[in-house]
Amino acid sequence: SGEAPAATPVAASNEAERAALRAQAARVFAGDCARCHGVGGAGNGIESETLVPRPRNFQDPDWQRSVTNTFIERIIIEGGASVGRADSMPAHPLLAKQKPLVRELRVYIRNLAR
């Protein structure tokens, strides 16, 4: 019959799961990360004034180019001290068992670049 096969339910399910993870990552960022890094990721959250050094500006393209995806995921889970950065960046050890969510948080952070 020459027609393309219909999308499988598995593919649709995977896309729905990914969309749900993207939404969850946005909620985690807004509820946790934005306090220090700011809603738009510019390092200007409501708690940023009290932190030394100031939180990372995720909008900085030079910083974005300077770090690997693995680095971003590791600092999310293990905190700043684990990668030689500020210990004011807290660890989130419960996320270690939620790798897909951590990947989506990393994608979210990558998409903040301007």
Side-chain angles (χ1 to χ4, degrees):
S1 81
E3 290 183 36
T8 64
V10 171
S13 174
N14 287 343
E15 187 51 40
E17 288 173 18
R18 181 112 193 266
L21 280 169
R22 279 193 301 269
Q24 185 179 5
R27 285 190 306 273
V28 168
F29 190 90
D32 197 21
C33 311
R35 290 190 325 241
C36 298
H37 292 283
V39 173
N44 60 349
I46 59 172
E47 295 181 21
S48 66
E49 297 279 331
T50 64
L51 298 173
V52 177
R54 296 290 295 267
R56 173 66 54 205
N57 176 358
F58 296 137
Q59 296 177 4
D60 179 4
D62 291 333
W63 176 80
Q64 289 277 354
R65 283 189 296 275
S66 76
V67 295
T68 65
N69 290 339
T70 301
F71 175 90
I72 294 171
E73 291 178 17
R74 182 173 175 198
I75 201 168
I76 289 169
I77 295 169
E78 298 178 16
S82 73
V83 293
R85 302 293 169 94
D87 59 2
S88 57
M89 169 60 197
H92 299 88
L94 296 178
L95 291 178
K97 294 182 180 183
Q98 299 181 57
K99 298 287 187 177
L101 175 57
V102 172
R103 281 192 297 273
E104 287 303 325
L105 274 167
R106 185 241 317 141
V107 169
Y108 188 93
I109 289 166
R110 289 289 195 194
N111 286 331
L112 293 170
R114 305 220 176 228

